[in-house]
Amino acid sequence: MGGGGGQRRSWRRVEAALNRAFADSAAGRYFKIDARDTSFTKELRAGAATFLTMVYIISVNAAILTDSGGPCTVGDCTPLPSRNSSAAGPGPDCKFDGNPGYQRCLERTKNDLVVATAAAAVVGSFAMGAVANLPLALAPGMGANAYFAYDMGCIFLALSLLGLRSRLARLIPRPIRLASAAGIGLFLAFTGLQAQVGVGLVGPSPSTLVTLAACSRTDPTTGDCLGGTLQSPTFWLGAAGFLLSAMCLTRNVKGGTISGIVFVTVVSWIRGTAVTAFPDTEHGNANFDYFKKIVDFHVIQTTAGRISFAGFARKEVWLAVATLLYVDVLDTTGSMCSMAEYGGFADGEGGFEGEYRAFAVDASATIVGAALGTTTVTTYIESTAGLREGGRTGVTAIAVAVLFAGSLFFSPLLTNVPPWAVGPSLVLVGAMMMRVAREVEWAEAKEAVPAFLTMILMPLTYSIAYGIIAGVGTHIVLHLFDGVAAVHAWASSFRKKTNNKADGDQITATDQNIAQTV
């Protein structure tokens, strides 16, 4: 016992010396370590927490984009003697009948997209940390704007350099900004409770939309429960990880969020158990074979540099770009401002320190990501996991970039972090983000109603932008009467002053006439 206690004290002394040395260095002064009341090791832990809660994007984003076919065409299909082939070569159906050539193209595309996703996260996160000095991590997002990624990135950059995104942020009323942070917390928690990126406690229902799940068997297509509610072994393992992380947080144990993720992941890597991430299926065996490589590196072959403006001669494309741009600007800007509010570096007027550089970095990273062949790069709300661990400077974002760079070599391990390991941390971070809701004036209906709509619609519409739009719109309508009343009062006062002045001028003229007569 004494030896263990001595080792811990020795480590604390080494850690304190390392933190002091970094804080006093030129790098420490640049990142404002002392000014923001943080330390080097705390920033590294925060970076690890953020990375572990968003590492799922490497495999998930690649899988979603690969499902679209990517750059693969009928020309990649292998000619086979079947009804789908003709003298001119394979027909369009070859893309759907398991053609080996087309499947090889899809596999190559998926590997390309894994690298593109990680590389875009490296560039975006490093730039956010080094240029804007903010603890916010960036990575390709999963949205409807994939097709327009490059073009919207250029527009984002123009808006950022002109300062228009900063002005937009300041136009959002304070109650909406506060509610946005809480709404994002609900959004994260709701995501962490679902099966795709969470523990699967909440599932779809044909009658009530959502219901209690964690089922022993589910429909792989619809996600509907086929039996055994609350009998999913992976759910209970995720619940154990949740309690472990929550216990660490309540006792202020360093790296509390990370501990739960690592525990659940390691247990899930054991084969032959009910909670394994590698079940004895064709897909599970393929994943395990890739996992056993541990180290692997892939060079992008097909997705990089595929940029085209051919469709922009059609007006409907410009309409789509304008719509997606409006929604995405609100989404990204609202997320950044909300995380700044949660992290304590907002200025109280809708802005935050380093916002101009942050918006420019966010837009520039989108251009890089698009050139690599992936979707719009955006600031991830999972960055709040790092904020919860105490991250306050760009060192956190740089740590995330370094870990994503490592994922380019250790993707067999990191692409197999199961969703039930990540979900609990999202729920915990969501709970922590609810604290800003207390600053809303709930007794004042004109603030409470827009704030509530903002909060509730973010998770229910699965969109941060829609929540902000609803909140701002309601805020304007509820304050419209006050504006009309103020204008009416001003007009009445103006008319009264005008009439009084006219009456006074008439009395003066009458008095002068009387005086002249006398």
Side-chain angles (χ1 to χ4, degrees):
M1 293 291 291
Q7 289 178 350
R8 285 193 294 272
R9 286 192 294 272
S10 298
W11 163 245
R12 290 194 189 100
R13 286 195 293 270
V14 171
E15 182 181 16
L18 175 63
N19 288 333
R20 189 67 263 155
F22 183 80
D24 292 338
S25 68
R29 290 190 295 273
Y30 173 81
F31 288 111
K32 303 180 180 179
I33 295 295
D34 286 338
R36 296 188 183 178
D37 192 25
T38 184
S39 65
F40 181 63
T41 53
K42 184 186 291 186
E43 295 290 310
L44 296 183
R45 284 194 299 271
T50 297
F51 172 75
L52 288 174
T53 55
M54 61 184 288
V55 68
Y56 70 88
I57 190 61
I58 295 177
S59 56
V60 174
N61 193 49
I64 290 175
L65 292 180
T66 302
D67 286 343
S68 70
C72 298
T73 65
V74 174
D76 295 298
C77 294
T78 301
L80 297 174
S82 70
R83 60 183 178 85
N84 295 327
S85 298
S86 63
D93 290 345
C94 73
K95 296 189 294 184
F96 310 104
D97 62 4
N99 183 281
Y102 191 76
Q103 293 303 313
R104 284 194 298 272
C105 179
L106 289 180
E107 185 63 27
R108 185 169 60 249
T109 298
K110 183 177 180 180
N111 292 334
D112 284 353
L113 290 169
V114 166
V115 175
T117 301
V122 170
V123 173
S125 298
F126 184 85
M128 183 64 76
V131 177
N133 193 21
L134 291 172
L136 307 179
L138 282 75
M142 297 178 294
N145 51 15
Y147 184 79
F148 303 106
Y150 183 84
D151 312 284
M152 291 216 300
C154 295
I155 301 174
F156 279 178
L157 183 59
L159 293 177
S160 301
L161 295 179
L162 292 173
L164 296 180
R165 290 178 73 180
S166 300
R167 294 180 183 179
L168 174 64
R170 284 176 166 77
L171 289 176
I172 300 176
R174 176 171 167 76
I176 308 302
R177 295 199 305 270
L178 295 171
S180 294
I184 288 174
L186 293 175
F187 183 94
L188 281 173
F190 187 49
T191 302
L193 291 173
Q194 296 178 69
Q196 291 83 357
V197 196
V199 295
L201 180 60
V202 174
S205 167
S207 55
T208 60
L209 298 183
V210 293
T211 187
L212 188 68
C215 306
S216 58
R217 294 182 300 115
T218 58
D219 187 309
T221 303
T222 64
D224 292 341
C225 186
L226 300 179
T229 303
L230 289 180
Q231 294 183 24
S232 167
T234 56
F235 162 72
W236 290 109
L237 176 60
F242 173 83
L243 293 176
L244 174 62
S245 293
M247 186 65 70
C248 290
L249 292 178
T250 57
R251 295 179 175 272
N252 293 319
V253 176
K254 296 177 180 178
T257 305
I258 303 172
S259 59
I261 299 175
V262 172
F263 166 73
V264 175
T265 299
V266 171
V267 173
S268 299
W269 281 347
I270 302 173
R271 293 207 82 179
T273 68
V275 296
T276 182
F278 310 111
D280 189 15
T281 62
E282 182 179 353
H283 182 68
N285 292 333
N287 283 344
F288 187 65
D289 290 339
Y290 183 58
F291 172 78
K292 289 188 294 185
K293 290 183 177 181
I294 300 178
V295 177
D296 186 39
F297 184 77
H298 175 79
V299 178
I300 297 178
Q301 300 176 21
T302 59
T303 62
R306 289 180 173 262
I307 299 171
S308 173
F309 298 92
F312 282 78
R314 298 154 54 194
K315 63 180 181 181
E316 56 266 29
V317 173
W318 281 106
L319 179 62
V321 168
T323 303
L324 292 171
L325 176 69
Y326 174 67
V327 172
D328 206 57
V329 164
L330 276 180
D331 196 325
T332 305
T333 305
S335 297
M336 277 195 186
C337 293
S338 296
M339 286 185 283
E341 197 81 44
Y342 176 74
F345 42 86
D347 60 12
E349 298 179 357
F352 54 91
E353 185 178 355
E355 62 178 321
Y356 181 83
R357 294 182 177 183
F359 288 141
V361 165
D362 178 84
S364 301
T366 288
I367 298 175
V368 173
L372 292 172
T374 188
T375 51
T376 303
V377 176
T378 184
T379 302
Y380 261 59
I381 55 178
E382 282 84 352
S383 299
T384 48
L387 294 175
R388 175 63 187 82
E389 287 292 328
R392 292 297 181 271
T393 74
V395 176
T396 293
I398 292 176
V400 174
V402 171
L403 291 171
F404 266 113
S407 72
L408 292 170
F409 300 91
F410 294 96
S411 57
L413 299 180
L414 296 172
T415 55
N416 284 294
V417 174
W420 54 88
V422 177
S425 66
L426 298 181
V427 176
L428 279 174
V429 170
M432 297 300 103
M433 291 191 71
M434 293 303 296
R435 72 183 187 192
V436 298
R438 66 186 177 187
E439 298 183 36
V440 177
E441 295 291 339
W442 293 107
E444 177 57 55
K446 285 187 292 188
E447 286 198 12
V449 173
F452 178 76
L453 285 176
T454 301
M455 290 171 54
I456 199 65
L457 287 179
M458 283 187 180
L460 294 185
T461 62
Y462 226 74
S463 170
I464 296 170
Y466 293 157
I468 294 175
I469 291 170
V472 171
T474 307
H475 179 89
I476 292 173
V477 171
L478 293 182
H479 285 77
L480 188 62
F481 178 79
D482 291 343
V484 173
V487 171
H488 181 267
W490 175 83
S492 298
S493 175
F494 180 78
R495 283 197 303 269
K496 185 176 181 180
K497 290 180 179 178
T498 302
N499 293 336
N500 289 340
K501 185 176 183 301
D503 292 341
D505 291 342
Q506 185 175 4
I507 292 172
T508 301
T510 303
D511 291 342
Q512 290 176 349
N513 291 334
I514 293 173
Q516 290 176 358
T517 302
V518 174

